[in-house]
Amino acid sequence: MKKMQAKIQNRIPDTAARDGEAPALPLADEKNGDAPSNLFGLTLAGCSALMRDLGEPKFRGRQLFEWLYGKRAMAVDACTNLPKKLRETLKTRWIIDWGEVLGVQADLEDGTKKMLIRLADGECVETVLMAYDYGYSLCVSSQVGCAMGCAFCASTKGGLVRNLTAGEMAAQIALVEAAEGVRISRVVVMGIGEPLANYDNLLRFIQILNQGFGIGMRRITVSTCGIVPMIERLADEALEINLAISLHSPDQAVREQIMPAARRYPLDRLLKTCKNYFNKTGRRVTFEYALMAGVNDRDEDAKALIGLFSGENVHLNLIRLNPITDGPFAGSQNVTGFAKKLKTGGINCTIRRRIGKNIDAACGQLRHRQEQAVPMVTKPRGER
Ligand SMILES: C[S@@+](CC[C@H](N)C(=O)[O-])C[C@H]1O[C@@H](n2cnc3c(N)ncnc32)[C@H](O)[C@@H]1O
Ligand code: SF4
């Protein structure tokens, strides 16, 4: 484990470690010139470099890191393991800022809570808290908006605004835990944005999750629409995280229509890359498949999936499509029948438990509402 952590640390780009200057500043702060910088989001290497720059012994870096994430310190003065004089010095240039929860939608039926979070520069992202038998899982956003243009997804409606910093991803956990009085034990990077298009910050975030929050690598899932070169890079990191691929069709032409990224990264190349990923990491890849009526829920789709995956050590996760405003697709009425066909064909598949159906479950809807100044509503039970 220690060896693996050291490996991640060496690979994670960190301005502090690289330049010997102030640790990597979050993007939001870079825009603000003289504004204080956010300590939240520094990796262990970043904390150590900061302490070194301040003329402090190296162990102070670990102390800061532990209080930032292990203790969820909300202010520099809450880092009571650091000497008061050092805290005063830190406060001249540094703050701890998690952003704030702007609003919450709760699904009273299944306990899912979707929160709209405001970032330091006023941009918003969503994060979703899900309750399971084993504890709490958080679905984290990785970007403000998304450039990928998938036709069924609300996250991409206004395009990409910017990447989230590692701190802004980690703050989603701290904020939700503080607001709800819970501990998050699993994290899925399946919120707004394409995590592999924000690769360096994603790796920093994973490091913070693992070393700072103490969340095991196997309890972290990263989902991608299939950015092949970044999947190849991720395979080389040798992390034990779970990789999920948004597949949504076994047909290249259909995929190109509903997921523009497929034009650049064709299905055969993507599947080959996933095979290599499994061979290198030993981690089984999950394929996500949101069923859309007449688009990808036909007999021929089931047959094609069986042809692609029969005998392969993969998992297919069938998802009920969440309706989005003005979306071109309707959810399939044949989810269980489709699953049955796949199972009969020898495919290891499950239907994802539907969560948050009484709120704006589709990822990006809430942020979109906020941008359009549409009031945030929790729909009555059963209404779609
Ligand atoms: C929002 S994406 C974020 C992660 C990454 N960008 C990706 O595409 O895998 C997370 C998952 O939600 C799925 N998704 C997007 N819009 C959806 C919708 N309207 N209904 C159901 N699933 C949806 C995506 O295909 C993907 O599997
Ligand atoms: S599904 Fe993922 S990649 Fe596609 S637009 Fe939505 S967030 Fe972006």
Side-chain angles (χ1 to χ4, degrees), residues 217-237:
M217 288 289 184
R218 288 172 178 238
R219 291 173 172 233
I220 300 168
T221 299
V222 172
S223 175
T224 174
C225 64
I227 316 284
V228 165
M230 301 324 263
I231 300 172
E232 286 166 354
R233 256 180 91 180
L234 194 62
D236 287 335
E237 311 290 350

Side-chain angles (χ1 to χ4, degrees), residues 152-153 155 189-191 193-195 223-225 246 248 288 290 319-322 324 362-363:
F152 47 82
C153 181
S155 303
V189 191
M190 287 192 185
E194 170 47 53
S223 175
T224 174
C225 64
S246 294
H248 305 314
E288 293 159 286
I319 306 168
R320 291 176 208 275
L321 187 77
N322 285 313
I324 64 171
C363 176

Side-chain angles (χ1 to χ4, degrees), residues 30-56:
E30 280 171 3
K31 285 191 201 149
N32 287 342
D34 288 337
S37 300
N38 198 354
L39 288 170
F40 206 79
L42 290 185
T43 58
L44 183 54
C47 290
S48 301
L50 172 61
M51 290 303 165
R52 184 198 59 211
D53 291 354
L54 293 174
E56 294 287 332

